[in-house]
Amino acid sequence: MFPRLTSTLNRIRSSEFIRNSAVMMTGTGIAQIIPVLIIPVLTRLYAPGEIGILAAFVSLFTIFSVIAGGRYEFGIIMPESDRTGTNLLYLSGALSVLSGIVLALVVLFFGGQVARAVNAPLLEPWLWLLPVTVTAQGLFMAFSFALNRNKQYHSIAAGKVTQTGTTAAVQTLGGISGWGVGGLIIGKAVGVIISAGWLITALQRKVPRFLERVKPEELKKAAAEFISYPKYNAPHALVNSISSNLPVILFITFFSDAIAGFYAMAFRASYAPVQIVSAAVGQVFGKRLADKKHEQADVRSYVVKMLLLFAAIGIIPFGLLFLAGPAVFGYILGSEWAVTGDYVRILIPYVYLTFITQPLSYIPLLYERQKQAFILFLFSLLLRVLAIFSGIWLDMFLVSLALYSATGVVVLLYHIYWYLSLCDTDSVTADD
């Protein structure tokens, strides 16, 4: 009766990208729904200040973990040779362990100073978990990309569900048992460690050939071939992570742990759609981009199509958050957390554009423009820091938040323009 509709549905069902994205979105969706569903429980078990301390720990964890593997993990899906991908997996894993050792020494000798510097003395007893968690996250990312290269999307999805499910269970247990902020931080650490073990086991079981022994000269060759990842992409990722996590650190330092907790909860709620869809599609999208480049296909048209798709998908959830946020957050989280809805409304424009642009971040890697991307993010970080400090100077938190969001909107609009301009290039030219 409806041949065109039937034909369209058949094309969708036969699309490898759609199928793989659906698997990732299902896993990532469940993984991100779990912490969203647990929010009303945590806000009744923990005080805003305790969640603010957790936010400070997670911010430090995120900042260090993005560079733990030297960003070699992002190169695993890029080369045509599986052997090169294996070498990059070993490189990333070794660097993650080394990063944990270095960070452990920093915590041992300077942990107290770090906790006092961010105005969070309650954080000090739990900083020892930071190097362990950073190493585990580095391994999680490396094995996630190795599984991605081998199209083991079900394993990746299961690993993400394992991480957030374990974290939620331990944090809830800690709250009921009266562990205080320790319950929140231990829960985060245990979730990351167990999920990393899950992915390592999955790769060993399903693709054992990818873990064959490598030779030192092969590792050296792979490290040199992909040197732009630690040289340019790692500093770029660090700047980007600092840019995203700096607000929590500055808010807890210059305002209070309670305000940091309110902000962290608002960002977590508004960012959930980004993690559910964009993060899931991102890895599949990155692999698809690399394939199209190898095939010499029209990358720009594909990127435009996916950009419009992400924009259409995000309109409804972010629109509902903007309209209903202030009315429902006090009811769902408890009266003490009602202000969170106002913070969400301020953040929505910035987070919506993040949702659209995050999967496109593979494009500078594809066209070897890590150096330019790094410079751009340095500039964006400067703008965001100035925006936040404007509010700090005025002693007005809402001014800091509004300027931070507005600056993010401007920066991300420029990113869209730049990404599309890169796709117009006909050949790949490495950075100088």
Side-chain angles (χ1 to χ4, degrees), residues 29-237:
I30 295 172
Q32 296 307 323
I33 286 172
I34 290 172
V36 170
L37 292 177
I38 207 69
I39 285 175
V41 177
L42 297 183
T43 55
R44 288 167 173 82
L45 293 175
Y46 298 95
E50 291 174 325
I51 291 181
I53 298 295
L54 170 68
F57 177 87
V58 172
S59 293
L60 293 173
F61 155 75
T62 305
I63 288 170
F64 290 116
S65 64
V66 296
I67 58 170
R71 304 296 281 183
Y72 277 118
E73 66 271 22
F74 282 82
I76 293 172
I77 63 173
M78 296 298 177
E80 295 186 62
S81 166
D82 279 346
R83 188 65 175 175
T84 303
T86 298
N87 280 280
L88 292 172
L89 171 62
Y90 277 100
L91 276 172
S92 179
L95 286 173
S96 296
V97 174
L98 180 61
S99 297
I101 293 172
V102 172
L103 192 55
L105 294 174
V106 173
V107 170
L108 178 64
F109 292 107
F110 305 104
Q113 293 92 317
V114 171
R116 288 189 292 273
V118 298
N119 193 31
L122 292 177
L123 180 61
E124 183 177 357
W126 306 105
L127 278 176
W128 64 273
L129 283 171
L130 189 60
V132 179
T133 312
V134 166
T135 295
Q137 180 65 15
L139 294 173
F140 178 91
M141 290 299 296
F143 280 83
S144 174
F145 277 102
L147 287 163
N148 181 8
R149 181 180 180 88
N150 291 280
K151 300 183 179 181
Q152 299 295 325
Y153 297 109
H154 288 89
S155 296
I156 301 172
K160 292 180 178 181
V161 173
T162 299
Q163 181 170 141
T164 58
T166 303
T167 296
V170 175
Q171 288 179 339
T172 301
L173 176 63
I176 294 172
S177 304
W179 297 353
V181 70
L184 292 168
I185 295 176
I186 291 172
K188 176 64 178 177
V190 170
V192 174
I193 292 167
I194 289 179
S195 62
W198 174 281
L199 293 190
I200 292 170
T201 302
L203 189 65
Q204 288 175 328
R205 186 176 69 253
K206 296 188 175 183
V207 200
R209 60 173 176 75
F210 206 75
L211 289 173
E212 293 176 353
R213 288 188 177 183
V214 295
K215 300 177 181 178
E217 57 268 24
E218 291 180 338
L219 288 173
K220 185 176 180 181
K221 181 180 178 182
E225 183 180 352
F226 288 82
I227 192 62
S228 60
Y229 285 75
K231 186 176 181 181
Y232 296 123
N233 187 254
H236 164 204

